[in-house]
Amino acid sequence: MATNGIVKDLDFSSFRNVIDGKLTDTKSTRRAINPATNEQLWPCPVSTPQDVDAAIQAARTAFKSWSKTPLEHRKAQLMALSAAFTALKSEFGELLTKEQGKATFFAEQEVDFGAYWLAGTCALEMPFEVVDDTPDKLVKTRYTPLGVAVGIVPWNFPIMLLCGKIAPAVMTGNCIIVKPSPFTPYCGIKLVELAQKFFPPGVIQVLSGDDSLGPWLTAHAGIDKISFTGSTATGKRVMESASKTLTRVTLELGGNDPAIICSDIDIATVAPQIAAMAFMNSGQICIAIKRIYVHKDIYIPFRDAFVECVKAFKVGNGFEKDVFLGPVQNKLQYDRVKTFLDDVNSSGQKIATGGQVIDTDTSGLFIQPTVIDNPSDDSKIVVEEPFGPVVPLLQWSEEDEVLARANDTDMGLGASVWSKDIDRALRIGESLEVGSVWINEHLGIKPTATFGGQKQSGIGREWGLDGLRGYCNTQTVFLNHRRS
Ligand code: NAD
């Protein structure tokens, strides 16, 4: 099988930039750290402004022909990349556990998700709208590629989020330069190396580096689009940078997702699901459940069932059997999550379980999954996104009241409502100021479904037809049939 040949010639222990189709050395290198062991991993590139110039030049050249290739060819190449990537699931999964910390099962699941995004995006057709079609006039809106896109991603889903930018960018005829997080550079670098087997030089490139690289890329006059996923604070800096050149931006930012639990649910069915969706990836998911509003009539039994589930989660090195929570991904984030525990302790809030970091002989960045029992609405754990394994349970009694509390935030990424009464759940859900509403589920996403945030959770949309439009110029054509 062709993909087996590809498997054999990828070296999973050397990591270089990919510029203009070539593996490219940088003058200096750095090493990221395995968060489960505190061990340094392999050398990886520290890109310079010259590398940025070279990649953008190559992308601009490649765009001239790539943008003219038939849509079906672009889709076929994405499908081929998806298949090759799937064939490398265990190699990429192992690499992901080493650099990100998540357990093997979830790491391989992320490879599947990445492959699904590469192939699944191809189920979409290019957006096209006929506004008027009369004997006098045809008015239509068509969409053309923007040019060179830059995709910047965080460290929580280094593969899936990268695939979620590569697929719509190149399917719509753009070239893309991706920049992984300095905390998790390896999988992104290797994925783009793999992509060279299927795409012409300059269409998909990767630059890795330190904290200077993102600002160099976003400020460069040679790019046409920035697709950024990361924190709200950095998103504002990206937008400021883009304002100098009016570069198009899509910002996928932080979240503080509520789950509203109604009194008619079956606790034994729902509590384990909510626990999993709050603590998966050690709480480091933009759309993880971060505030759990439980109706007062079932608060105590729900809390007790929820805490039992959380206590059963195994925390540890992602390579160990049955681990559900790996480490927090990096020291900066670990220290930030500790500020939430400090605040809980100093303000005397009730801890239902957890509350401590875990000392290990490997110096890994482990924190006990922690549940805070009914803290006040203005406490740090309710107001801010911890992005770690600490979650508050809150009590509610009236529908209007819980809606007001759930909406009382600058964030607006996702939310879920849990009830057997679907009309009621939809009524509550559709009143929430968020980009994604789930009824009796949470975390659902698809390459063909629009995703994005309201308020300070983002600007623009990824995935689905709106996501494709985000990589395109809009051109409206008025064709008069009678005046020539
Ligand atoms: P971050 O904002 O610190 O970093 C994200 C990326 O931006 C990294 O690659 C980083 O190197 C780069 N970067 C940093 N400063 C930059 C600058 N000035 N210009 C350009 N690039 C710059 O975020 P993080 O800590 O890596 O990720 C956690 C955050 O990401 C959380 O808030 C989480 O909710 C959010 N997130 C959002 C989504 C979404 O789809 N909405 C998905 C995942 C994570």
Side-chain angles (χ1 to χ4, degrees):
M1 205 167 72
T3 45
N4 283 342
I6 288 161
V7 175
K8 295 288 170 265
D9 68 10
L10 273 193
D11 172 2
F12 279 80
S13 61
S14 93
F15 299 87
R16 289 186 276 171
N17 281 338
V18 178
I19 300 176
D20 203 12
K22 295 185 257 320
L23 302 183
T24 308
D25 286 320
T26 48
K27 283 199 196 89
S28 58
T29 57
R30 51 181 287 280
R31 290 167 187 262
I33 288 169
N34 179 335
T37 61
N38 203 24
E39 284 163 357
Q40 290 202 335
L41 296 168
W42 308 269
C44 64
V46 178
S47 299
T48 61
Q50 290 70 40
D51 297 316
V52 172
D53 287 341
I56 290 174
Q57 185 53 51
R60 300 211 75 78
T61 303
F63 178 70
K64 290 180 193 142
S65 47
W66 182 249
S67 56
K68 305 270 183 311
T69 55
L71 175 63
E72 290 316 313
H73 173 72
R74 301 197 296 255
K75 287 185 177 183
Q77 299 317 104
L78 278 170
M79 301 287 284
L81 173 60
S82 172
F85 187 41
T86 302
L88 290 163
K89 178 154 70 174
S90 56
E91 288 86 347
F92 271 100
E94 188 180 333
L95 188 59
L96 186 56
T97 298
K98 280 187 186 151
E99 69 170 323
Q100 204 283 336
K102 65 185 69 185
T104 301
F105 171 83
F106 293 111
E108 293 193 354
Q109 191 182 53
E110 187 175 338
V111 176
D112 285 339
F113 257 94
Y116 172 46
W117 246 258
L118 293 171
T121 304
C122 300
L124 293 165
E125 290 305 321
M126 285 294 285
F128 176 81
E129 287 126 38
V130 176
V131 181
D132 265 336
D133 188 4
T134 68
D136 289 342
K137 209 176 248 190
L138 174 70
V139 182
K140 64 178 184 178
T141 301
R142 57 193 287 272
Y143 294 84
T144 59
L146 286 167
V148 177
V150 164
I152 299 178
V153 295
W155 43 259
N156 61 338
F157 285 88
I159 289 177
M160 190 261 157
L161 293 171
L162 212 63
C163 293
K165 296 193 188 302
I166 288 173
V170 302
M171 194 197 112
T172 47
N174 295 278
C175 297
I176 186 165
I177 301 164
V178 294
K179 190 200 90 62
S181 166
F183 293 115
T184 52
Y186 301 105
C187 285
I189 290 175
K190 216 29 76 176
L191 174 61
V192 173
E193 188 181 329
L194 178 64
Q196 304 315 300
K197 317 269 181 191
F198 306 98
F199 291 86
V203 174
I204 303 177
Q205 304 179 88
V206 62
L207 295 177
S208 182
D210 60 20
D211 291 343
S212 312
L213 179 57
W216 288 335
L217 283 165
T218 59
H220 204 290
I223 61 163
D224 305 287
K225 163 85 188 181
I226 302 161
S227 179
F228 171 83
T229 301
S231 64
T232 297
T234 310
K236 289 177 184 175
R237 286 196 278 279
V238 168
M239 195 158 168
E240 191 182 345
S241 173
S243 72
K244 311 272 188 326
T245 42
L246 289 182
T247 304
R248 274 59 180 151
V249 289
T250 298
L251 303 177
E252 295 289 352
L253 309 177
N256 198 359
D257 284 18
I260 297 176
I261 321 288
C262 298
S263 57
D264 64 349
I265 53 115
D266 177 36
I267 292 176
T269 307
V270 173
Q273 295 183 66
I274 303 286
M277 291 170 189
F279 288 99
M280 198 178 283
N281 213 35
S282 299
Q284 304 166 125
I285 309 183
C286 55
I287 47 173
I289 296 177
K290 296 187 181 128
R291 294 175 290 153
I292 306 169
Y293 293 93
V294 184
H295 194 271
K296 69 173 182 9
D297 291 351
I298 57 162
Y299 184 83
I300 302 288
F302 184 93
R303 180 197 63 193
D304 294 348
F306 184 80
V307 164
E308 280 317 301
C309 299
V310 175
K311 280 183 176 162
F313 288 146
K314 181 172 171 189
V315 185
N317 187 318
F319 288 115
E320 284 169 27
K321 195 167 174 287
D322 296 330
V323 161
F324 188 80
L325 281 86
V328 171
Q329 200 281 324
N330 59 75
K331 183 71 169 63
L332 202 70
Q333 186 61 22
Y334 178 77
D335 289 341
R336 186 175 141 68
V337 177
K338 280 204 296 184
T339 68
F340 285 81
L341 298 180
D342 293 345
D343 184 75
V344 165
N345 287 316
S346 65
S347 59
Q349 289 161 32
K350 258 171 64 191
I351 296 173
T353 184
Q356 303 295 324
V357 300
I358 301 173
D359 289 326
T360 66
D361 49 12
T362 62
S363 314
L365 304 174
F366 297 99
I367 292 181
Q368 279 181 344
T370 298
V371 180
I372 313 300
D373 187 357
N374 207 21
S376 62
D377 279 359
D378 61 356
S379 58
K380 183 176 167 75
I381 188 60
V382 178
V383 175
E384 293 179 31
E385 177 191 40
F387 217 60
V390 187
V391 178
L393 286 177
L394 302 136
Q395 271 188 48
W396 67 279
S397 51
E398 302 299 329
E399 206 174 293
D400 286 352
E401 162 239 314
V402 74
L403 269 174
R405 291 165 69 198
N407 283 333
D408 185 19
T409 164
D410 287 340
M411 299 287 113
L413 200 52
S416 58
V417 185
W418 299 73
S419 173
K420 291 198 169 103
D421 180 345
I422 300 305
D423 290 341
R424 181 182 194 207
L426 277 171
R427 185 176 67 235
I428 297 175
E430 291 175 2
S431 304
L432 290 162
E433 297 159 359
V434 293
S436 296
V437 171
W438 297 282
I439 307 299
N440 296 329
E441 63 168 61
H442 203 106
L443 297 181
I445 47 172
K446 279 173 82 70
T448 47
T450 298
F451 179 81
Q454 295 190 17
K455 304 184 194 171
Q456 294 196 22
S457 285
I459 286 190
R461 290 293 180 263
E462 272 199 314
W463 314 330
L465 282 177
D466 282 347
L468 296 186
R469 286 190 186 96
Y471 284 101
C472 293
N473 290 303
T474 307
Q475 185 179 63
T476 302
V477 179
F478 288 72
L479 172 61
N480 194 312
H481 292 308
R482 307 250 166 171
R483 292 209 199 135
S484 57

